[in-house]
Amino acid sequence: MHVFKVCLYEFLNGVHRKRLAGRMHMDPSTLSRLVNKNQRIAEEDLDRLIAAVRTSRETPPTMQEIVSLRGLYVRAEREADSTAFRIRGLRAEREQAVRRAIEREDLLNSDRRRLAELRTRSERILRGGDEERAAEEEAKLVPLETRVRELEQALAEAVAALIALEEKLARLERPHRDAGDQTSMRVLADDPLRAAQVLAAIPDEPGRIAMARRLVPELVLPVQLLMFFAELLRRGGVETVMPVMVASLLTMPVRNLAAVLVAAASDRLAPDEEDLDVSWPIAEVRSLLHGMVHKQLEPGNFAALAHLLDADDQHGLAREILAGGAQGPVHDVLRVSAALRGLDAPYLQEATVGRRPEGIADLAGSLRAENRDPDARLVLHTAGQRLGHSELATLADILRVSFRAHDLRDLEEGAALRDDG
């Protein structure tokens, strides 16, 4: 059901939920719970939702999108029904296995008692001096001992089979057991606001982080994560939510992180859509996320994130992320720009803006040292066009004193371009 709900969330991208709920004659909060939580959706509700989406957006969904969504729905329902069928079958097998184990244990206990009685009688006869009769009794012991060993082996196999069935059932029945546990990961994932309340109530930071690492993978939909972080921020403040963000989001796939950033950039979590009495600090969450990715992400992952956003036509968001990460240390800028490839030019331009003349000189020199002359020229051209006159003069003096004639010439070319403009 998770996969279907993710596809459904993407299918509704750009659709105003409140207007959509009005077309479906459904309360907006009911529609939001239907879409955002990992619960089954009735086929008639899916039909109404698709019909409403077709009339609620400027560009209606294509037939291929609708067919794909319905296909995922059928597979999700079949998987749910299949799981229930398997549980019923395994329960029946378990009952049979229990009966077999009990029957074999009864037979084994009976034969063990008979074996003990025969041994006692054989020893008594032997002590009485009747060796011939004692030998006859000893002969009766051999097949009974063999049968006892066979029954012991059969009972051990029956118990092992029963344990295996119990383990299979435990894995399949876990969601059903979790449904009655209001603090289980699956239940909390279906109610991100409740999850945030539970986490905020944990007094120590290590405990909150440990629970968040178990919970966040269950929050599959981007909106669920944003709901969770927004409520945690509202209840505990930045000092509570930030360590949880860093510990949990940075371990998720870059593709998922990109989806969360896209959702945070939208206006999809308005309070009137989620049956809330208070406004959510989505803007603050968005700011924390943007600050986190450029400070915490490894340069290669940061580059991958920017490429994913750009490939998904989120060009403005990609530029915003790049601008935030471009003011870091020179060695990080070098690593990120090398990984960015097609996006390295705007990134290096952003890295130039806001950097002091000494830092620009250091950046250009480091690029030259890595045989990246075109990138160094881009940095100096950008500086020449965008720096104020006093900063431009300071940078020119630094390059002149350092005998960096090529860099000085590139800087002057950039300044000439500004003057020409």
Side-chain angles (χ1 to χ4, degrees):
M1 190 59 67
H2 271 11
V3 175
F4 165 68
K5 282 303 179 77
V6 170
C7 181
L8 178 61
Y9 182 85
E10 294 176 351
F11 181 78
L12 296 177
N13 184 33
V15 179
H16 194 287
R17 299 280 175 85
K18 192 172 183 180
R19 296 195 192 103
L20 183 64
R23 288 185 172 88
M24 295 178 68
H25 305 291
M26 179 182 288
D27 185 79
S29 62
T30 302
L31 176 61
S32 288
R33 284 192 293 271
L34 198 67
V35 173
N36 297 332
K37 295 186 177 182
N38 187 35
Q39 60 187 26
R40 295 178 73 170
I41 177 173
E43 187 171 4
E44 56 268 23
D45 285 334
L46 180 63
D47 292 339
R48 292 168 59 205
L49 191 148
I50 291 175
V53 170
R54 281 176 155 173
T55 60
S56 68
R57 48 201 264 178
E58 296 179 3
T59 306
T62 65
M63 187 56 64
Q64 183 178 359
E65 289 175 327
I66 295 174
V67 169
S68 174
L69 182 67
R70 288 193 181 279
L72 283 172
Y73 174 78
V74 170
R75 284 198 289 275
E77 288 293 292
R78 187 181 301 145
E79 180 182 347
D81 292 339
S82 172
T83 300
F85 178 78
R86 288 177 62 197
I87 288 175
R88 289 195 298 271
L90 285 173
R91 284 175 177 170
E93 285 185 43
R94 180 180 61 182
E95 291 176 4
Q96 294 174 2
V98 169
R99 283 197 298 271
R100 283 195 299 270
I102 292 174
E103 289 171 358
R104 288 172 182 175
E105 187 174 13
D106 289 342
L107 287 172
L108 177 59
N109 290 335
S110 176
D111 284 354
R112 279 174 173 169
R113 284 193 298 270
R114 286 180 56 203
L115 182 60
E117 290 171 0
L118 281 174
R119 282 174 175 163
T120 301
R121 188 167 59 187
S122 175
E123 291 171 357
R124 188 171 58 248
I125 293 172
L126 186 60
R127 285 196 301 270
D130 192 346
E131 295 183 1
E132 184 177 347
R133 189 180 170 195
E136 291 176 359
E137 294 296 328
E138 284 286 345
K140 294 178 183 179
L141 289 173
V142 174
L144 191 54
E145 289 173 342
T146 302
R147 176 176 168 79
V148 166
R149 286 194 297 270
E150 290 174 350
L151 283 173
E152 287 174 343
Q153 178 64 30
L155 179 60
E157 292 173 355
V159 171
L162 182 57
I163 291 173
L165 284 172
E166 292 285 4
E167 290 175 348
K168 287 182 181 179
L169 268 174
R171 288 193 293 269
L172 289 174
E173 289 180 332
R174 179 182 174 186
H176 299 276
R177 291 198 306 271
D178 286 349
D181 179 3
Q182 294 305 306
T183 62
S184 73
M185 292 302 105
R186 287 179 180 270
V187 170
L188 291 179
D190 278 348
D191 191 349
L193 299 185
R194 169 66 179 158
Q197 293 169 16
V198 171
L199 244 72
I202 297 176
D204 60 299
E205 184 176 300
R208 283 195 298 271
I209 291 175
M211 187 170 184
R213 283 175 172 158
R214 295 169 53 213
L215 173 66
V216 167
E218 301 285 347
L219 297 169
V220 175
L221 299 176
V223 69
Q224 291 178 317
L225 268 173
L226 291 175
M227 291 164 65
F228 170 68
F229 287 132
E231 182 67 7
L232 191 58
L233 175 63
R234 191 178 70 83
R235 288 182 172 273
V238 174
E239 63 277 5
T240 297
V241 73
M242 194 60 187
V244 172
M245 276 186 170
V246 172
S248 55
L249 278 186
L250 295 186
T251 60
M252 68 166 43
V254 177
R255 164 61 70 180
N256 293 5
L257 180 54
V260 172
L261 289 170
V262 171
S266 71
D267 200 19
R268 205 172 298 158
L269 297 180
D272 61 356
E273 292 186 9
E274 294 297 339
D275 195 23
L276 292 176
D277 295 328
V278 295
S279 60
W280 276 357
I282 295 300
E284 291 88 339
V285 171
R286 181 165 55 243
S287 176
L288 289 174
L289 283 171
H290 288 195
M292 183 195 71
V293 294
H294 81 260
K295 291 178 181 177
Q296 302 291 338
L297 279 183
E298 186 272 330
N301 287 338
F302 180 84
L305 175 65
H307 272 291
L308 281 172
L309 292 172
D310 193 64
D312 286 343
D313 295 328
Q314 299 291 333
H315 308 299
L317 183 55
R319 284 294 184 94
E320 189 175 347
I321 295 298
L322 288 173
Q327 303 307 316
V330 168
H331 59 84
D332 281 349
V333 171
L334 295 176
R335 292 174 62 194
V336 172
S337 61
L340 279 169
R341 292 184 291 277
L343 295 175
D344 56 341
Y347 176 75
L348 287 171
Q349 288 173 333
E350 292 292 346
T352 305
V353 177
R355 200 173 290 268
R356 295 179 61 81
E358 296 82 356
I360 297 174
D362 186 16
L363 177 59
S366 299
L367 289 167
R368 297 279 193 200
E370 291 191 356
N371 295 320
R372 296 171 59 180
D373 290 345
D375 290 338
R377 188 177 303 114
L378 173 66
V379 166
L380 292 166
H381 277 189
T382 303
Q385 294 176 69
R386 299 188 183 182
L387 285 182
H389 290 291
S390 61
E391 293 178 322
L392 183 60
T394 300
L395 179 55
D397 288 341
I398 292 172
L399 298 177
R400 191 176 294 109
V401 170
S402 303
F403 302 103
R404 294 165 60 175
H406 291 299
D407 288 346
L408 183 58
R409 184 165 55 250
D410 289 335
L411 180 66
E412 291 171 346
E413 288 176 358
L417 290 173
R418 176 174 63 181
D419 293 340
D420 291 342

